[in-house]
Each structure stands twice: as C-alpha cells, then as structure tokens.
C-alpha cells in the first residue's frame, strides 16, 4: 500500500498533496511523495549497489470499467517514442501474462495490452521499465465489477476470488524460476486454451505519430488506461 495517508482521508488515487501518486514515478519528491521515492530508491539500490538484475516489477490496481483481471505491460514496438522501436522487444515482455492466463481463473489475456503512451511515462510500469531496464514491468488491474469470461463469468469478484487470484499469480511467478520445460508446458496449455490472435487498430494517434498499433484485446476503446479513467489502484482502496 503506497498511499496510507490518502486512504485514511478517503482518497482513491491521491495522497495528501492532491496528486495521483501513480503519475510521480519518473521524478518523485522525497517530501511530497515519500512512499514512491523510497520504493523507487529500493529498486535503484538493488540494481546499482547490489548489482542484481530485477526481472519483474508489478503493481496492483483496481479498474472501475474493464472486467476480469488483466495486465498493462511495455512493448517497444508499441511505444509512442520512435527511438524505442529502433530496438527489439525483450523476448520475455509477455511471458508473465501468458503464464497468468493459465494459473488464474479470473485472468484474461485478451484484455491485456502493452502500449506505451507519452502520457504514461511517469507511471510505475513505464518509469521503472525505462530507468532500470526491467524486462517484465506490469500493472495488474483487477475489475471492481467482475468477469465476462472464465470460471467466474457473470459473477462479481469477492475477496475469495481476489485471494485465489493472488495465489494464482504467485504460481505464475514460480514458473519464472522453473526449468524451461515447465514454462513451455504452461505456454502450450495457453495456446490450446485460447485463440491468441492480434487485433490491429490503424491510425491511432499516440501523441507524436500515428501508425498501426498491435493490441492484445478484443474490445479496446480510446479511453482505456486514459488520464480521466476512474480505476482504483494500490494508491487507494479497492
């Protein structure tokens, strides 16, 4: 929980400075945004002092409009900045969502997307992906409504389902340190379970350029993950 002071006063996204803390990860102020500053400092300590390679970063949010549990990730080929597209994507950038699809009954790979928008540069997943070169950097969104697929289709998500989702996510994480054969087996189950076809949306304006963008989603709209959405995240109560 990165916003205890804001939550005490009934806020959903903002701290006591009336700022969305998930828009302060690029340059957090130690006085105004202390939890973000020190969380990021921990990552910097691990990568620069201890010299550890951090493979996964994931923060947890609640989403007020989308259904299911899903992830936002980072793809160079789907970035607003042309310089990102000069380098290939990490081969692992979709690995954890693919594993989560098979380990979590609430998870929907179809609802995941990996777009990097200019307005998202100060969010946690993009800021730490850039600064610390973390190949698997995500925001996991859990619907405040329910599911429209899987074993909980047409049901609200209760504490029971959220706890099950947490257990499934830990199982998905465990495969990242498993033998390649175990990982490949899980990914094979995913390919048998769903049809993972790309959806291409043409001429979507991403700030400085317009071009074809590939999404992993069956029903995206222009406001998805937008500045004015009402998702309730780990900076406020779910």
């Amino acid at each position: 929980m990165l916003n205890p002071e804001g939550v005490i006063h009934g806020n959903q996204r903002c701290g006591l400075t009336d700022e969305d803390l998930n828009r302060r990860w690029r340059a957090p102020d130690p006085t105004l945004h202390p939890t973000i500053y020190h969380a990021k400092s921990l990552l910097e300590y691990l990568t620069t002092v201890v010299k550890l390679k951090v493979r996964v970063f994931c923060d947890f949010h609640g989403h007020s409009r989308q259904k299911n549990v899903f992830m936002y990730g980072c793809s160079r080929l789907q970035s607003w900045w042309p310089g990102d597209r000069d380098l290939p994507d990490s081969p692992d950038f979709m690995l954890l969502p693919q594993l989560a699809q098979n380990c979590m009954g609430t998870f929907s790979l179809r609802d995941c997307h990996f777009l990097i928008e200019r307005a998202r540069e100060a969010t946690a997943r993009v800021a730490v992906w850039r600064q610390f070169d973390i190949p698997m950097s995500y925001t996991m969104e859990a619907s405040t409504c329910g599911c429209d697929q899987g074993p909980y289709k047409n049901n609200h998500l209760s504490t029971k389902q959220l706890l099950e989702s947490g257990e499934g996510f830990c199982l998905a994480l465990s495969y990242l340190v498993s033998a390649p054969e175990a990982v490949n087996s899980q990914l094979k189950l995913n390919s048998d379970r769903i049809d993972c076809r790309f959806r291409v949306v043409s001429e979507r304006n991403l700030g400085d350029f317009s071009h074809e963008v590939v999404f992993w989603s069956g029903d995206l709209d222009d406001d998805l993950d937008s500045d004015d959405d009402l998702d309730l995240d780990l900076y406020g109560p779910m």
Side-chain angles (χ1 to χ4, degrees):
M1 169 59 71
L2 295 179
N3 186 21
E5 294 87 357
V7 169
I8 288 173
H9 291 276
N11 294 348
Q12 296 174 345
R13 299 179 67 93
C14 299
L16 296 184
T17 58
D18 195 29
E19 296 174 277
D20 183 346
L21 295 181
N22 197 34
R23 298 295 187 273
R24 295 294 176 266
W25 277 79
R26 185 160 54 181
D29 184 280
T31 301
L32 299 178
H33 324 113
T35 54
I36 309 303
Y37 178 85
H38 290 291
K40 192 174 180 182
S41 295
L42 175 60
L43 283 171
E44 186 167 10
Y45 173 79
L46 292 173
T47 55
T48 62
V49 178
V50 185
K51 303 297 184 182
L52 291 178
K53 175 61 178 176
V54 179
R55 293 184 64 198
V56 180
F57 174 91
C58 188
D59 58 352
F60 302 91
H61 296 206
H63 204 287
S64 62
R65 292 183 295 172
Q66 286 281 104
K67 292 184 173 65
N68 309 307
V69 177
F70 56 95
M71 287 183 179
Y72 299 134
C74 298
S75 167
R76 289 184 176 277
L77 298 182
Q78 299 182 48
S79 173
W80 71 273
W81 185 45
D84 284 336
R85 303 192 302 279
D86 291 338
L87 298 174
D89 275 321
S90 164
D92 292 337
F93 83 98
M94 286 185 57
L95 181 56
L96 190 55
Q98 290 174 321
L99 292 169
Q101 173 69 31
N102 196 58
C103 296
M104 299 168 58
T106 57
F107 196 84
S108 173
L109 187 59
R110 293 180 185 276
D111 291 318
C112 297
H113 79 76
F114 304 89
L115 182 67
I116 302 173
E117 296 173 289
R118 181 169 57 178
R120 296 291 165 275
E121 286 292 328
T123 61
R125 68 176 169 97
V126 178
V128 302
W129 174 78
R130 286 205 185 281
Q131 182 170 344
F132 304 113
D133 192 26
I134 299 175
M136 290 180 276
S137 183
Y138 309 103
T139 294
M140 178 179 285
E141 299 274 359
S143 175
T144 58
C145 177
C147 293
D148 60 10
Q149 55 84 54
Y152 298 115
K153 182 177 180 179
N154 299 326
N155 285 276
H156 287 284
L157 294 180
S158 68
T159 302
K160 177 178 181 292
Q161 282 77 49
L162 293 175
L163 288 172
E164 287 180 2
S165 298
E167 293 175 0
F169 182 66
C170 290
L171 179 60
L173 286 172
S174 72
Y175 281 106
L176 297 179
V177 294
S178 300
E181 295 78 12
V183 176
N184 292 334
S185 176
Q186 289 299 311
L187 297 181
K188 178 62 166 58
L189 288 174
N190 282 339
S191 64
D192 292 340
R193 179 179 170 185
I194 62 173
D195 180 11
C196 296
R197 290 176 295 181
F198 289 115
R199 177 186 178 211
V200 177
V201 179
S202 299
E203 299 303 319
R204 177 184 169 106
N205 192 306
L206 301 182
D208 287 348
F209 69 101
S210 296
H211 71 300
E212 288 194 342
V213 181
V214 179
F215 291 90
W216 280 79
S217 177
D219 187 24
L220 283 177
D221 59 58
D222 286 342
D223 293 329
L224 188 63
D225 198 23
S226 64
D227 279 329
D228 59 354
D229 67 13
L230 300 177
D231 60 333
L232 316 177
D233 51 33
L234 58 70
Y235 307 96
M238 293 182 62

